[in-house]
């Protein structure tokens, strides 16, 4: 620990006096350096003298730069009690057989022993350290602050050169970063590098052939000159490469202190006499980016030039390469052209039989709930100008029993649909329940259906007493009233049952049930005589709902023997007490003693009410009909309210009738508001449904053809297509018949079905060189195309470019202002011309430039090499730039 304390003090001293060199002269600086040397000798740290001597030898500018870096690094290190100097670790792995960047393994887990040695060399301040190992793990000590230059090599592998800086300028974020501070405190850093095999199964092969157009007077390109050089190297500027092999591999260390890196060697390939090149490239399983460079070269180019109606050859110098745009190729018009003749020009139209009318409608299902006679709707014909069929229905007991066709219509190409309806789509909802307004006098909704006793209680005096029953709930409207009930008691004073005589109305929710045999009455002694005998009493509170009084007591601490009597006011609505009298005054009482009354209730009774619910007050129409003419109501639908929530004796479903105006629902007449609804019921409009019918129609078919043009020159009968542009009919087939190369008749082999509009049906005769677009239903020209090869005025070959369509047989024709005598035989397969056999090449023909237009350089600047994979990349230098 003593050593760790002393070293930072010495370094701080170095930093201090070095920082002053900008103002102090060199003499003073040397004195302080001598003083520092003595201090180092005294403390026994002689190993730092070499570094000090190195500092002294630096030029002033270098000296200041070094000290600036030293100050920055040491300030961090000293602050965090770090160790000096640094150690540097290098991890090397074989990128040729490792899928880098997949996140499945750490860099250490990807290390595999190399078959040979790997050498890592680092250099700093003129000091070089070299280590050799086969496991790819290297550790260097005593690395100073500053730039490290390094290289990694192994036999048969690419060499990587790199530079890194052990000084990282700190930021607030870095100082707060735990990983960074661990790096600073430990004074250790390192990096992971991949090297790639240059040979063997983990490398890749890229090869191909290079062409150039140096002779435009022939039909084939030439080979690029032998000896043309190509260059390939690992493209370390590729962002994906840097992410996989640098940033991702070193993400747990520090990548921002890697200054530069690159791989060698750059690989060269030279075109051989066959125009071929080949690279054996470093590769990786995840793809290694390779940059390709191509040599320019100069060559003479021969081309035809048209002059005064003749073609002459021109030889010029041209430069070829990826950075040179191609010059214009001289145009020529005197060259021979090829065409193929096989006849054409025939046309025809169709003849159609059948009416396309509905002949009958078979009833499939009679349906149910029809309120009257429904309408029968038959869908319109699909073709323009067709007439819709009509029919009527017969109904018995809400069921359709028959459908009568009144008009068969015309123009039907397929079975129409049949809809049987008397209107549909209207809807309504209940918008409010009573008691929104019980003052209307309807006396509807919100009553008590029954009362269930849950505890019988005990009501007695000398005989069973019938208690009062109270319903505690919210009543709406001035016309609302409470239920009338009868309580039945047994001999023991228990409640046996409660009968609802009248349910009342106006409750908005279930009321609670309570019982009372009297409560609230109080009295007071108003006068006494000398012995304390009561001579006067007063009833201070009459109380209410007394069915009987069991006992009268005077609350006194000394009085005894008083006897009082009281009566129940049966004439009053609240059944309070009256006529409190003294029967015996007793003794020991005082004025003000309180008189209490014990009622007939010894044990509490309980019960609950069953709420009957409310009634329908109003509704709202949400849709008057379905929206289409077929949904308009021709009969009044049945209005159906859902059942009440309460299912007791007094519950009933609401009823109403629909009001229809112009086929639409205009309103609902509520004939009974119902009773027993706890929430708004649903409203259904019931019209007949479920009835269906199946129409039968007279289908139209192709019956024949009218030939409008016989055409000419057909070598074989052309194919026919019968196309219905309305997409209605299908299935018709026919064949053409030839006489002397003309279409003289058409034989119908299948009439098809569904054809209704003659104007929509087209007879397509597929002439040679024509094709039919089934999607757009149009004829398109697709003739066969070919090029002529001419050698010394003789046509030596006809090269097919495109075979065209529908050539069952064809003749080849040459058009040229120069030359004559060509003869050839055409072969075709599946309607496409596959070749021309030259039987006579003729004489005097002149070929034109081939290619006839400029061709730019065609290659690729980048390639991705995969371990063990061979790729072929041909290169075309094109027609070049005329110099």
């Amino acid at each position: 620990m003593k050593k760790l304390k002393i070293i930072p003090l010495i370094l701080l001293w170095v930093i201090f006096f070095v920082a002053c060199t900008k103002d102090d002269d060199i003499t003073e600086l040397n004195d302080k350096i001598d003083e520092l040397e003595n201090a180092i000798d005294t403390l026994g740290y002689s190993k730092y003298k070499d570094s000090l001597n190195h500092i002294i030898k630096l030029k002033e500018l270098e000296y200041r730069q070094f000290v600036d870096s030293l100050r920055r690094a040491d300030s961090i290190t000293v602050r965090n009690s770090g160790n000096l100097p640094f150690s540097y670790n290098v991890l090397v792995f074989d990128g040729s057989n490792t899928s880098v960047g997949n996140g499945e393994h750490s860099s250490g887990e990807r290390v595999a022993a190399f078959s040979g040695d790997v050498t890592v060399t680092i250099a700093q301040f003129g000091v070089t350290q070299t280590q050799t190992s086969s496991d790819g793990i290297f550790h260097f000590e005593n690395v100073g602050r500053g730039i490290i230059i390094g290289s990694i090599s192994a036999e048969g592998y690419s060499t990587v050169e790199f530079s890194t800086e052990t000084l990282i300028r700190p930021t607030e974020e870095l100082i707060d970063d735990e990983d960074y501070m661990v790096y600073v405190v430990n004074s250790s850093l390192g990096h992971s590098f991949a090297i790639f095999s240059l040979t063997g199964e983990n490398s890749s092969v890229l090869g191909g052939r290079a062409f150039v157009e140096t002779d435009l007077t022939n039909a084939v390109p030439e080979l690029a000159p032998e000896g043309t050089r190509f260059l390939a190297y690992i493209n370390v500027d590729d962002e994906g490469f840097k992410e996989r092999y640098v940033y991702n591999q070193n993400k747990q260390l520090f990548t921002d202190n890697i200054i530069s890196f690159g791989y060698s060697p750059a690989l060269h390939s030279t075109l051989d006499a066959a125009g071929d090149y080949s690279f054996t490239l470093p590769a990786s399983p995840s793809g290694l980016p390779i940059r390709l460079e191509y040599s320019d070269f100069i060559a003479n180019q021969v081309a035809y030039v048209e002059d005064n109606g003749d073609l002459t050859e021109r030889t010029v110098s041209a430069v070829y390469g990826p950075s040179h745009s191609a010059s214009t190729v001289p145009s020529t018009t005197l060259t021979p052209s090829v065409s193929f003749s096989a006849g054409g020009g025939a046309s025809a139209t169709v003849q159609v039989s059948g009416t396309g009318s509905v002949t009958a409608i078979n009833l499939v299902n009679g349906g149910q709930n029809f309120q009257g006679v429904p309408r029968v709707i038959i869908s319109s014909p699909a073709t323009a100008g067709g007439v819709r069929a009509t029919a009527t229905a017969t109904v018995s007991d809400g069921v359709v029993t028959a459908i009568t066709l009144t008009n068969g219509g015309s123009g039907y190409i397929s079975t129409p649909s049949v809809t049987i309806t008397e209107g549909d789509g209207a809807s309504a909802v209940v918008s409010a329940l009573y008691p929104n307004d019980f003052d209307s006098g309807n006396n509807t909704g919100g009553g008590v259906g029954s009362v269930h006793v849950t505890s019988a209680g005990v009501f007695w005096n000398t005989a069973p007493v019938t208690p009062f029953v109270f319903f505690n709930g919210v009543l709406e409207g001035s016309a609302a009233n409470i239920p009338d009930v009868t309580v039945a008691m047994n001999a023991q004073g228990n409640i046996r049952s409660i009968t609802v005589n009248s349910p009342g109305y106006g409750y908005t929710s279930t009321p609670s049930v309570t019982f009372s045999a009297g409560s609230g009455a109080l009295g007071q002694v108003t006068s006494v005589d000398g012995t304390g005998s009561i001579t006067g009493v007063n009833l201070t509170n009459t109380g209410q709902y007394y069915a009987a009084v069991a006992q009268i007591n005077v609350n006194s601490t000394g009085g005894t023997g008083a006897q009082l009597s009281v009566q129940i006011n049966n004439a009053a609505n609240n059944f309070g007490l009256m006529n409190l009298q003294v029967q015996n005054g007793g003794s020991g009482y005082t004025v003000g003693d309180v008189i209490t009354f014990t009622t007939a209730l010894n044990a509490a009774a309980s019960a609950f009410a069953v709420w009957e619910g409310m009634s329908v007050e109003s509704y709202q129409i949400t849709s008057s009909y379905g929206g289409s003419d077929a949904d308009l109501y021709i009969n009044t639908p049945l209005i159906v309210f859902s059942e009440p929530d309460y299912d007791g004796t007094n519950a009933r479903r609401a009823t109403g009738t629909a009001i229809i105006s112009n086929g639409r629902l205009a309103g609902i007449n509520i004939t009974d508001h119902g009773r027993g609804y706890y929430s708004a019921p649903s409203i259904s409009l019931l019209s007949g449904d479920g009835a269906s019918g199946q129409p039968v129609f007279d289908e139209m078919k192709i019956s024949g053809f009218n030939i409008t043009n016989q055409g000419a020159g057909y070598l074989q009968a052309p194919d026919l297509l019968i196309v219905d542009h309305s997409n209605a009919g299908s299935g018709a087939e026919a064949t053409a018949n030839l006489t002397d190369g003309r279409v003289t008749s058409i034989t119908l082999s299948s009439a098809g079905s569904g054809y209704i509009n003659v104007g929509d049906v087209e007879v397509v005769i597929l002439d040679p060189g024509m094709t039919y677009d089934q999607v757009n239903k149009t004829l398109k020209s697709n003739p066969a195309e070919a090029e002529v090869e001419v050698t010394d005025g003789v046509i030596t070959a006809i090269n097919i470019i495109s075979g065209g369509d529908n050539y069952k047989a064809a003749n080849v024709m040459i058009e040229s202002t120069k030359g004559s005598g060509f003869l050839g035989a055409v072969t075709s397969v599946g309607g496409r011309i596959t070749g021309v056999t030259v039987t006579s090449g003729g004489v005097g023909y002149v070929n034109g430039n081939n290619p006839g237009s400029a061709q730019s350089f065609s290659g690729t600047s980048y390639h991705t090499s995969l371990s063990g994979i061979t790729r072929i990349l041909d290169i075309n230098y094109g027609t070049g730039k005329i110099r």
Side-chain angles (χ1 to χ4, degrees):
M1 294 300 295
K2 181 177 180 180
K3 178 179 180 180
L4 292 177
K5 292 180 180 178
I6 294 175
I7 292 176
L9 290 175
I10 294 174
L11 292 176
L12 285 174
W13 189 14
V14 172
I15 293 168
F16 172 77
F17 78 73
V18 170
C20 296
T21 58
K22 298 178 181 179
D23 301 319
D24 299 337
D25 57 31
I26 299 301
T27 302
E28 182 180 356
L29 180 61
N30 289 331
D31 291 341
K32 291 187 176 183
I33 291 175
D34 291 339
E35 184 179 347
L36 180 60
E37 272 192 301
N38 293 332
I40 289 175
D41 289 338
T42 301
L43 295 173
Y45 294 113
S46 58
K47 64 180 180 179
Y48 293 107
K49 294 186 67 174
D50 291 340
S51 297
L52 185 62
N53 290 332
H54 173 73
I55 294 174
I56 295 172
K57 292 177 183 178
L58 293 174
K59 295 179 181 178
E60 183 177 357
L61 178 60
E62 295 173 334
Y63 175 80
R64 291 178 179 177
Q65 291 174 338
F66 182 84
V67 171
D68 286 342
S69 298
L70 188 64
R71 183 190 303 112
R72 182 170 72 252
D74 287 353
S75 66
I76 300 172
T77 307
V78 172
R79 170 182 172 185
N80 293 280
S81 301
N83 300 319
L84 299 175
F86 286 93
S87 62
Y88 183 62
N89 304 295
V90 177
L91 175 65
V92 184
F93 64 94
D94 189 346
S96 303
N97 57 20
T98 303
S99 182
V100 180
N102 58 14
E104 295 178 358
H105 306 287
S106 67
S107 297
E109 292 172 322
R110 294 193 183 110
V111 175
F114 290 87
S115 58
D117 288 337
V118 178
T119 299
V120 177
T121 298
I122 64 170
Q124 186 184 50
F125 303 130
V127 178
T128 300
Q129 298 186 58
T130 299
Q131 294 184 19
T132 299
S133 171
S134 61
D135 61 8
I137 301 175
F138 302 86
H139 179 77
F140 297 92
E141 293 286 356
N142 298 321
V143 176
R145 295 153 189 80
I147 304 299
I148 298 175
I149 305 298
S151 68
I152 302 171
S153 61
E155 184 177 355
Y157 284 82
S158 58
T159 295
V160 59
E161 291 88 11
F162 64 93
S163 62
T164 182
E165 183 184 11
T166 58
L167 303 175
I168 303 175
R169 184 180 297 276
T171 63
E172 291 297 329
E173 290 79 12
L174 278 179
I175 291 175
D176 293 336
D177 184 84
E178 181 179 350
D179 291 338
Y180 176 75
M181 297 316 298
V182 169
Y183 151 71
V184 171
V185 171
N186 293 336
S187 301
S188 177
L189 77 161
H191 294 104
S192 173
F193 293 98
I195 57 177
F196 303 94
S197 176
L198 297 174
T199 60
E201 63 180 6
N202 288 327
S203 62
S204 74
V205 175
L206 175 66
R209 182 165 295 180
F211 301 92
V212 65
E213 293 288 354
T214 53
D215 188 351
L216 306 187
T217 66
N218 58 27
V220 295
E222 290 69 46
L223 298 176
E226 184 178 359
T228 301
R229 294 176 61 82
F230 301 146
L231 175 68
Y233 55 90
I234 298 175
N235 181 26
V236 297
D237 292 328
D238 181 81
E239 291 299 325
F241 177 84
K242 288 190 288 188
E243 181 64 31
R244 291 194 300 271
Y245 291 97
V246 181
Y247 301 131
N248 187 60
Q249 288 302 299
N250 296 294
K251 61 186 176 182
Q252 293 179 339
L253 300 171
F254 294 92
T255 57
D256 54 358
N257 62 346
I258 295 178
I259 299 174
S260 63
F261 68 97
Y263 286 84
S264 63
L267 302 175
H268 296 270
S269 181
T270 302
L271 287 183
D272 59 18
D276 294 331
Y277 73 94
S278 179
F279 286 104
T280 299
L281 298 173
S284 76
S286 56
L288 199 61
I290 303 296
R291 177 68 185 262
L292 300 176
E293 301 289 351
Y294 304 91
S295 291
D296 293 346
F297 60 84
I298 297 172
N300 289 334
Q301 183 185 77
V302 180
Y304 282 120
V305 177
E306 190 171 314
D307 185 22
N308 296 324
D310 199 1
L311 293 179
T312 58
E313 292 186 1
R314 180 199 69 179
T315 301
V316 294
S317 177
V319 58
Y320 299 87
S323 60
H324 303 287
S325 58
S327 299
T328 302
V329 173
S331 61
T332 58
T333 60
L334 303 178
T335 56
S337 60
V338 183
S339 62
F340 298 91
S341 173
S347 60
T349 58
V350 297
Q351 299 172 352
V352 182
S353 65
T355 63
S357 300
V358 177
T359 58
I361 297 179
N362 298 324
L363 181 64
V364 178
N365 195 325
Q368 59 185 354
N369 297 320
F370 285 95
Q371 307 301 310
V373 178
R375 64 167 67 92
V376 179
I377 301 174
I378 303 173
S379 60
S380 300
T383 57
V387 177
R388 184 200 293 261
T390 60
T392 59
T394 301
V395 175
S396 176
D397 295 329
V399 177
V400 176
T401 57
I403 298 176
T404 303
L405 183 67
T406 56
N407 187 340
S410 64
Y412 288 99
I413 58 176
S414 61
T415 305
S417 64
V418 176
T419 303
I420 301 172
T421 178
E422 55 182 344
D424 193 15
S427 59
V429 296
V430 172
S431 57
L433 295 175
Y434 287 112
N436 284 341
D437 182 9
F438 280 101
D439 296 330
S440 62
N442 289 325
N443 297 343
T444 56
V448 173
S450 60
V451 180
H452 297 270
V453 177
T454 56
S455 176
V458 179
F459 296 89
W460 57 269
N461 188 0
T462 56
V465 175
T466 302
F468 290 92
V469 181
F470 298 96
F471 294 91
N472 305 305
V474 179
L475 289 170
E476 294 280 349
S478 61
N481 59 26
I482 62 175
D484 175 42
V485 298
T486 299
V487 180
M489 307 292 293
N490 62 15
Q492 287 74 38
N494 306 123
I495 297 175
R496 190 173 69 235
S497 64
I498 298 175
T499 303
V500 178
N501 302 319
S502 173
Y505 55 89
Y507 288 101
T508 59
S509 60
T510 304
S512 62
V513 181
T514 59
F515 301 90
S516 175
S519 64
L522 289 174
Q524 187 179 34
V525 176
T526 58
S527 64
V528 296
D529 61 14
T531 63
S533 175
I534 298 173
T535 58
V537 292
N538 185 28
L539 193 62
T540 58
N541 193 329
T542 61
Q544 60 182 351
Y545 298 111
Y546 278 87
V549 177
Q551 187 174 350
I552 305 172
N553 299 310
V554 180
N555 184 14
S556 174
T557 58
T560 59
Q563 293 181 351
L564 308 177
S565 66
V566 71
Q567 294 179 328
I568 297 174
N569 188 2
N570 293 322
N573 290 331
N574 61 357
F575 296 92
L577 300 182
M578 66 180 186
N579 296 330
L580 177 62
Q581 301 292 328
V582 178
Q583 302 297 322
N584 186 342
S587 62
Y589 295 97
T590 61
V591 175
D593 285 343
V594 177
I595 302 171
T596 58
F597 306 89
T598 303
T599 68
L601 176 62
N602 271 8
S606 62
F608 68 87
V610 177
W611 186 43
E612 286 188 341
M614 294 176 288
S615 304
V616 173
E617 180 184 15
S618 60
Y619 66 90
Q620 179 184 357
I621 295 175
T622 56
S623 176
S624 60
Y625 78 116
S628 65
D629 290 344
D631 294 330
L632 290 172
Y633 288 90
I634 60 172
N635 299 315
T636 302
L638 183 65
I639 300 295
V640 180
F641 289 87
S642 59
E643 289 282 357
D645 304 286
Y646 174 64
D647 59 358
T649 308
N650 295 313
R652 64 183 184 276
R653 185 201 295 258
T655 60
T657 57
I659 302 172
I660 300 296
S661 176
N662 296 323
R664 295 172 170 83
L665 179 65
I668 297 175
N669 180 24
I670 300 178
T671 55
D672 188 339
H673 293 272
R675 188 172 189 139
Y677 291 104
Y678 299 155
S679 59
S682 64
I683 302 176
S684 301
L685 281 80
L686 186 61
S687 292
D689 61 7
S692 61
Q694 178 65 42
V696 180
F697 73 101
D698 184 13
E699 188 178 41
M700 299 187 72
K701 299 179 180 180
I702 303 292
S703 60
F705 303 90
N706 298 318
I707 296 176
T708 57
N709 193 327
Q710 294 183 345
Y714 288 101
L715 300 180
Q716 289 189 21
D719 291 334
L720 299 182
L721 293 177
I722 300 173
V723 179
D724 190 344
H725 290 278
S726 65
N727 296 318
S730 61
E733 296 179 357
T735 55
N737 304 309
L738 295 183
T739 302
D740 297 328
R742 297 177 180 272
V743 177
T744 54
S745 64
I746 296 176
T747 302
L748 181 67
S749 55
S750 174
S753 62
Y755 298 96
I756 182 61
N757 192 338
V758 176
D760 290 333
V761 182
E762 178 185 8
V763 179
V764 178
I765 298 179
L766 294 175
D767 284 342
M770 302 296 292
T771 186
Y772 191 74
D773 186 339
Q774 297 286 354
V775 176
N776 298 317
K777 295 189 176 181
T778 56
L779 270 173
K780 292 185 177 181
S781 176
N782 186 29
E785 297 179 7
E787 288 183 338
V788 180
E789 284 191 25
V790 179
T791 304
D792 297 330
V794 177
I795 296 177
T796 56
I798 304 294
N799 299 316
I800 304 300
I801 299 175
S802 172
D805 277 311
N806 294 305
Y807 288 97
K808 295 183 177 181
N811 294 322
V812 59
M813 297 184 297
I814 299 294
E815 293 185 6
S816 178
T817 57
K818 302 176 71 67
S820 62
F822 170 80
L823 295 174
V826 178
T827 57
S828 64
V829 176
R832 299 179 62 83
I833 293 177
T834 56
V836 176
T837 302
V838 177
T839 56
S840 173
V843 294
Y845 293 100
V846 178
N847 202 358
N849 291 321
N850 192 337
S853 58
Q855 287 186 353
S856 299
F857 177 90
S858 177
T860 180
S861 299
Y862 300 95
H863 168 72
T864 300
S865 61
L866 296 166
S867 298
I869 300 299
T870 297
R871 300 288 192 209
I872 302 299
L873 175 62
D874 286 340
I875 304 165
N876 181 13
Y877 272 87
T879 53
K881 183 176 183 179
I882 304 302
R883 301 183 69 199

